């Protein structure tokens, strides 16, 4: 039950976010329609037509915008690159709409919001579950990704063709239904069915009058014929007509939402809803309900859909009964749909106050029906808002959260573009070189050991700090950097006194050590450069043991079985702990300098002393990193750690200086 509730809450939130982001578009459309009608009433038809053109344009781009925003939102929520998903959704939307005639007559653009929504959801799910990524020529596996994406796209095209055919079948069936419904709005049962379908379609964002165009056209033509015959004295007025539906079943907009507006103002305790209702009053007066429709929202809201659909049905029965009993005059005109409620009732019923009173009754009944549903929804909304406020002020606004994610994502794209430019510039000019920092064994100073550290020299020979390593991480190219570093180190090792036991450690990222391909690369390069496994050590960071990936464990075992020692670097700088450490069989643990900085304090000294006993539990060697002063050296010795590394002994040095250092140690051994 809790899982269902969670899906429900996410469902409402996600749909409301998308439609709220499109709310400015719908409000602009409502305003242009209002201004157009106002200009028409002022006999300024040329200017009015300009605004009606703008309205048609806004209506035309709405479904496409809905498709883009929905696919963008879903992909962002699932940490998927929206630049991959959006083109897919537009292709599907266009491919399904155009062959089936689901396009606007005046613009030729796809015009069905429901198809737009489905296209976005289906496309996003296809890309999310098959995890496509943007193509980047700078990646070494660009060709592999290109073929993968081409295969995926071909499969997506086949799915598109299937959906296009399915839509064609659904439309064919709906056309048959239209033929049946076209006669029904003029009868009691048919009118209820017609209004019910209009309400259901409107509740999911489909313009029901467009969908049931034949029924609407038949209703309008029959009304005109009946009015002409009545005025000529040849027939009596029908109860059901175009004016009947417009004047009494769309007060405040579809769903008789003027009742919902008044319900909010009378009973709501939610300040956001009250503000929304007050803002909507000028539009609802003229039967424009987009602000409520998308602002609450009513669309795709399982709770508010119920009264939205059934209030007009109850209104239909009440109004039909009043007119059939002769309590209120029949409607004798087709009232302009933007005529305000009460005034429309007066005009529609032959300038009768009875029409006004009937509209008031219908509005009050609508308030009573909307009230329990709205209060239920508002209660849920208030609870959700309360929960979000407790989490953080930022999370209280889903729009702010989403827009923050969008801004962050767009910033990330720009950042990655800049990173790609920097790395391409580095690869095209200058060179990557290895520097070597000795690891000194204070009990056996003649022991030779270095840590290899990558550096970059630009075209002028200026040495750059290793900040570029983070660039490779962010670009997803750290594996390529690792392979380049391994190759450089093994190439340099040929010039070091390996026969005298010199060992070089090389840093490998957690991402690389989890990839079985890195093992094949290391072993192949060692054979190529004729480097013995006993002379090589692989260092990995804490991230690897926290991840606890099966492949990492397996690959560490394979490295050790081949004779390569494995060390964990920077231990204590992150979140790794003894239990994490015990899961792996490391040969060496390097204690991070951050543990040593504050050892003048008793608590930090005791912690370092505790960590110095790791070797007794794990059986691995310990290395104290970051030794910079005589006091730090003495403290580390007191802790029983023999191997040290840091600026106190030597800074990282280029290969030539490392060769001199190593040869001096060899000379000491021989002397």
């Amino acid at each position: 039950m809790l899982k269902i509730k969670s899906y429900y809450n996410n469902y409402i939130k996600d749909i409301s976010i998308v439609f709220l982001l499109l709310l400015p578009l719908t409000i602009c459309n409502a305003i242009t329609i209002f201004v157009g009608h106002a200009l028409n009433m002022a006999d300024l038809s040329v200017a009015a037509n300009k605004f009606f053109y703008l309205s048609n344009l806004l209506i035309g781009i709405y479904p496409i915008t809905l498709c883009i925003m929905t696919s963008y939102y879903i992909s962002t929520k699932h940490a998927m690159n929206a630049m991959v998903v959006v083109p897919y959704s537009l292709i599907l939307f266009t491919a399904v709409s155009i062959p089936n005639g689901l396009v606007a007559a005046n613009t030729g653009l796809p015009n069905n919001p429901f198809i737009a929504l489905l296209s976005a959801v289906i496309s996003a799910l296809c890309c999310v579950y098959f995890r496509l990524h943007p193509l980047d020529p700078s990646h070494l596996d660009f060709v592999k990704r290109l073929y993968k994406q081409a295969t995926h796209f071909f499969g997506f095209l086949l799915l598109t063709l299937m959906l296009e055919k399915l839509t064609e079948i659904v439309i064919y069936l709906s056309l048959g239904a239209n033929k049946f419904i076209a006669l029904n709005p003029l009868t009691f049962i048919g009118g209820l069915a017609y209004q019910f379908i209009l309400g259901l379609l409107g509740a999911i964002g489909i313009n029901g009058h467009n969908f049931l165009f034949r029924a609407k056209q038949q209703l309008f033509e029959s009304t005109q014929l009946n009015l002409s015959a009545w005025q000529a004295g040849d027939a009596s007025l029908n109860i059901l007509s175009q004016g009947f539906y417009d004047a009494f079943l769309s007060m405040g907009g579809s769903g008789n939402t003027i009742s919902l507006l008044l319900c909010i103002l009378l009973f709501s305790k939610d300040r956001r809803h009250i503000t929304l209702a007050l803002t909507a009053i000028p539009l609802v007066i003229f039967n424009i309900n987009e602000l409520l429709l998308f602002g609450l929202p009513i669309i795709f809201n399982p709770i508010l859909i119920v009264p939205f659909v059934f209030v007009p049905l109850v209104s239909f029965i009440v109004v039909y009964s009043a007119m059939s009993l002769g309590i209120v005059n029949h409607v004798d005109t087709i009232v302009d749909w933007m005529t305000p409620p009460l005034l429309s009732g007066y005009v529609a019923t032959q300038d009768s106050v009875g029409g006004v009173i009937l509209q008031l009754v219908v509005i009050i009944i609508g308030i009573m029906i909307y009230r329990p549903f709205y209060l239920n929804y508002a209660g849920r909304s208030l609870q959700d808002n309360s929960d979000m406020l407790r989490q953080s002020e930022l999370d209280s606004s889903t729009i702010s959260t989403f827009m923050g994610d969008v801004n962050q994502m767009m910033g990330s794209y720009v950042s990655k573009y800049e990173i790609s430019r920097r790395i391409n510039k580095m690869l095209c000019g200058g060179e990557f070189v290895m520097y070597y920092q000795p690891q000194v064994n204070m009990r056996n100073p003649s022991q030779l050991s270095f840590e290899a550290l990558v550096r970059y020299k630009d075209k002028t020979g200026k040495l750059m700090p290793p900040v570029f390593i983070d660039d490779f991480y962010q670009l997803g190219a750290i594996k390529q950097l690792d392979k380049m570093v391994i190759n450089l180190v093994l190439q340099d090792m040929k010039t070091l006194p390996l026969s005298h036991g010199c060992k070089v450690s090389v840093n490998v990222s957690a991402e690389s050590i989890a990839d079985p391909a890195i093992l094949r690369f290391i072993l192949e390069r060692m054979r190529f450069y004729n480097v013995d496994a006993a002379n090589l050590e692989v260092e990995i960071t804490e991230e690897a043991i926290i991840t606890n990936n099966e492949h990492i464990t397996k690959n560490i075992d394979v490295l050790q079985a081949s004779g390569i020692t494995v060390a964990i670097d920077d231990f204590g700088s992150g979140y790794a702990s003894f239990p994490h450490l015990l899961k792996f069989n490391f040969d060496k643990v390097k204690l991070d300098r951050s543990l040593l900085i504050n050892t003048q304090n008793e608590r930090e000294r005791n912690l370092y002393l505790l960590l110095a006993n790791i070797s007794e539990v794990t059986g691995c060697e310990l290395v104290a990193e970051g030794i910079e002063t005589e006091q730090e050296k003495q403290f580390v010795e007191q802790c029983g750690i023999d191997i040290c590394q840091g600026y106190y002994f030597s800074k990282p040095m280029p290969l030539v200086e490392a060769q001199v250092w190593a040869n001096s140690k060899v000379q000491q051994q021989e002397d």
Side-chain angles (χ1 to χ4, degrees):
M1 192 66 185
L2 290 174
K3 192 172 184 180
I4 294 174
K5 182 179 179 182
S6 174
Y7 281 136
Y8 166 80
N9 289 335
N10 287 332
Y11 169 77
I12 292 299
K13 186 186 77 169
D14 293 348
I15 294 298
S16 65
I17 286 173
V18 173
F19 280 112
L20 277 172
L21 289 171
L22 291 173
L23 190 56
L25 191 63
T26 58
I27 292 176
C28 287
N29 176 49
I31 291 173
T32 54
I33 292 175
F34 173 75
V35 173
H37 279 283
L39 291 171
N40 254 343
M41 293 174 66
D43 293 328
L44 298 172
S45 58
V46 175
N49 288 335
K50 296 291 184 182
F51 279 90
F52 289 139
Y53 167 76
L54 291 175
S55 173
N56 289 331
L57 186 62
L58 291 170
I59 292 171
I61 66 171
Y62 182 88
I64 293 177
T65 310
L66 174 62
C67 182
I68 293 172
M69 292 302 298
T70 304
S71 56
Y72 202 111
Y73 175 77
I74 296 175
S75 56
T76 304
K77 183 176 181 178
H78 290 277
M80 184 72 193
N81 194 314
M83 299 308 176
V84 175
V85 181
V86 169
Y88 273 66
S89 61
L90 288 177
I91 289 169
L92 180 58
F93 183 36
T94 306
V96 169
S97 298
I98 293 178
N100 290 300
L102 300 175
V103 295
N106 54 341
T107 62
L109 297 173
N111 69 340
N112 191 299
F114 185 67
I115 299 296
L117 199 61
L118 281 180
S119 299
V121 172
I122 292 171
S123 302
L125 292 178
C126 286
C127 294
V128 167
Y129 284 105
F130 288 93
R131 217 63 193 168
L132 287 184
H133 299 282
L135 293 174
D136 187 347
S138 66
H139 275 278
L140 296 182
D141 60 348
F142 169 72
V143 175
K144 180 180 177 181
R145 289 190 178 188
L146 177 61
Y147 282 119
K148 179 182 177 182
Q149 191 145 331
T151 304
H152 181 277
F153 186 67
F154 180 74
F156 181 77
L157 289 179
L158 293 178
L159 175 64
T160 299
L161 292 175
M162 292 171 57
L163 293 174
E164 185 268 324
K165 191 65 178 177
L166 179 63
T167 306
E168 181 182 343
I169 295 171
V170 171
I171 291 175
Y172 177 79
L173 295 175
S174 68
L175 288 175
N178 279 339
K179 292 177 182 178
F180 173 74
I181 295 172
L183 300 175
N184 285 346
L186 299 174
T187 66
F188 181 80
I189 299 299
L192 283 174
Y194 175 71
Q195 189 61 46
F196 179 72
I197 294 173
L198 286 178
L200 282 181
L201 293 173
I204 57 174
I206 298 177
N207 188 319
H209 295 294
N210 291 340
F211 195 82
L212 301 176
F213 176 73
R214 292 190 180 183
K216 174 79 170 179
Q217 188 179 41
Q218 178 66 37
L219 178 63
F220 184 78
E221 291 173 354
S222 297
T223 299
Q224 286 186 316
L225 290 173
N226 180 247
L227 289 176
S228 298
W230 174 71
Q231 290 167 356
D234 296 331
S236 59
L237 274 176
N238 292 333
I239 295 177
L240 296 175
S241 64
Q242 182 70 56
F244 176 93
Y245 288 96
D246 290 342
F248 292 95
L249 304 185
S250 297
M251 291 183 287
S254 56
N256 273 359
T257 42
I258 191 171
S259 295
L260 176 59
L261 176 78
L262 295 173
C263 178
I264 295 172
L265 295 177
L266 290 171
F267 304 112
S268 181
K269 295 180 181 179
D270 188 323
R271 290 185 179 180
R272 187 183 71 85
H273 289 177
I274 294 173
T275 302
L276 187 68
L278 290 172
T279 307
I281 288 175
L283 296 174
V284 171
I285 287 175
F286 295 97
N287 303 320
I288 300 171
N289 68 349
E290 277 82 2
L291 196 55
L292 289 179
L293 205 62
F294 301 110
L296 281 174
I298 298 172
I299 283 183
F300 289 101
N301 186 327
I303 294 178
L304 293 181
I305 280 177
V306 176
F308 180 80
V309 172
F310 281 97
V311 164
L313 298 183
V314 175
S315 303
F316 180 98
I317 295 171
V318 171
V319 176
Y320 186 90
S321 300
M323 291 185 178
S324 64
L325 293 173
I327 300 173
V328 177
N329 294 337
H330 295 187
V331 176
D332 70 338
T333 183
I334 298 178
V335 183
D336 189 289
W337 69 272
M338 292 191 72
T339 305
L342 305 186
L343 176 59
S344 63
Y346 179 80
V347 173
T349 56
Q350 306 171 44
D351 296 340
S352 169
V353 176
V356 178
I357 296 173
L358 182 58
Q359 282 189 324
L360 282 172
V361 171
V362 168
I363 290 171
I364 293 170
I365 293 174
I367 293 172
M368 294 170 63
I369 296 174
Y370 268 112
R371 184 176 183 273
F373 292 94
Y374 168 72
L375 291 179
N376 181 278
Y377 169 67
R380 292 172 182 266
S381 181
L382 284 172
Q383 180 61 44
D384 290 343
N385 288 340
S386 176
D387 292 341
M388 287 188 288
L389 284 170
R390 279 197 295 268
Q391 291 173 11
S392 72
E393 291 183 4
L394 179 62
D395 289 341
S396 65
S397 171
T398 53
I399 298 179
S400 297
T401 302
F402 174 58
M403 292 310 295
D405 290 343
V406 171
N407 291 334
Q408 183 180 2
M409 176 172 284
M410 294 307 296
S412 175
Y413 297 151
V414 174
S415 175
K416 285 188 176 181
Y417 173 73
E418 293 298 327
I419 290 170
S420 180
R421 287 186 59 188
R422 287 201 299 268
I423 290 180
N424 285 331
K425 186 177 179 180
M426 293 174 71
L427 293 172
C428 293
E431 62 175 337
F432 290 91
V433 296
M434 301 309 302
Y435 270 51
Y436 297 89
Q437 187 173 32
Q439 295 177 356
V440 177
N441 191 318
M442 290 183 287
R443 285 196 178 185
N444 183 13
S446 62
Q447 182 177 323
L448 294 173
S449 185
F450 294 95
E451 179 183 2
L453 302 165
V454 65
R455 298 291 186 267
Y456 175 76
K457 282 185 178 179
D458 63 16
K459 292 180 179 179
T460 65
K462 181 181 178 181
L463 192 68
M464 307 295 290
V467 293
F468 57 83
I469 294 177
D470 188 55
D471 285 350
F472 277 89
Y473 268 110
Q474 292 191 48
L475 202 60
I478 192 63
K479 290 183 182 180
Q480 287 72 32
L481 178 63
D482 284 341
K483 288 182 177 180
M484 181 173 60
V485 167
I486 290 168
N487 192 71
L488 288 172
V489 169
L490 291 172
Q491 186 177 16
D492 288 350
M493 286 177 67
K494 295 191 303 179
T495 64
L496 294 172
L498 301 183
S499 60
H500 289 78
C502 181
K503 177 172 285 193
V504 178
S505 63
V506 58
N507 290 281
V508 177
S509 67
E511 186 176 341
S512 289
I513 204 66
D515 186 357
I518 197 69
L519 303 183
R520 296 191 293 270
F521 179 81
I522 292 174
L523 296 175
E524 187 276 326
R525 291 287 86 189
M526 287 173 60
R527 286 192 295 269
F528 180 82
Y529 290 112
N530 196 27
V531 172
D532 191 87
N535 299 115
L536 183 66
E537 180 174 280
V538 171
E539 292 186 15
I540 62 176
T541 60
E542 275 191 334
E543 180 188 358
I545 66 173
I546 294 173
T547 304
N548 194 23
N549 189 299
E550 288 182 3
H551 295 299
I552 293 177
T553 305
K554 183 178 178 180
N555 290 348
I556 289 175
D557 292 340
V558 172
L559 287 172
Q560 291 173 326
S562 67
I564 299 171
T565 57
V566 180
I568 176 173
D569 193 20
D570 301 330
F571 184 78
S573 62
Y575 300 97
S577 59
F578 285 114
H580 284 120
L581 190 60
L582 293 173
K583 292 178 182 178
F584 298 87
N585 184 30
F586 289 108
D587 300 296
K588 184 182 289 185
V589 175
K590 301 182 72 175
L591 300 181
D592 189 69
R593 170 166 173 75
S594 62
L595 298 169
L596 190 64
I597 294 175
N598 296 316
T599 48
Q600 67 272 16
N601 300 324
E602 184 177 357
R603 182 178 178 181
E604 280 72 15
R605 290 175 67 87
N606 291 335
L607 174 61
Y608 206 91
L609 283 166
L610 176 65
L611 293 175
N613 294 318
I614 287 177
S615 59
E616 298 178 9
V617 180
T618 61
C620 55
E621 286 187 307
L622 288 183
V623 178
E625 290 187 296
I627 309 297
E628 296 185 359
T629 65
E630 176 66 26
Q631 290 80 3
E632 290 174 347
K633 170 181 170 289
Q634 292 177 2
F635 172 71
V636 167
E637 283 184 299
Q638 292 170 7
C639 293
I641 300 175
D642 297 332
I643 306 175
C644 298
Q645 179 180 341
Y647 283 8
Y648 176 80
F649 302 98
S650 173
K651 292 183 178 181
M653 59 185 79
L655 177 62
V656 174
E657 294 180 21
Q659 290 169 339
V660 173
W661 172 285
N663 290 332
S664 67
K665 296 298 179 182
V666 170
Q667 188 65 43
Q668 290 178 13
Q669 288 180 14
E670 293 176 349
D671 294 341

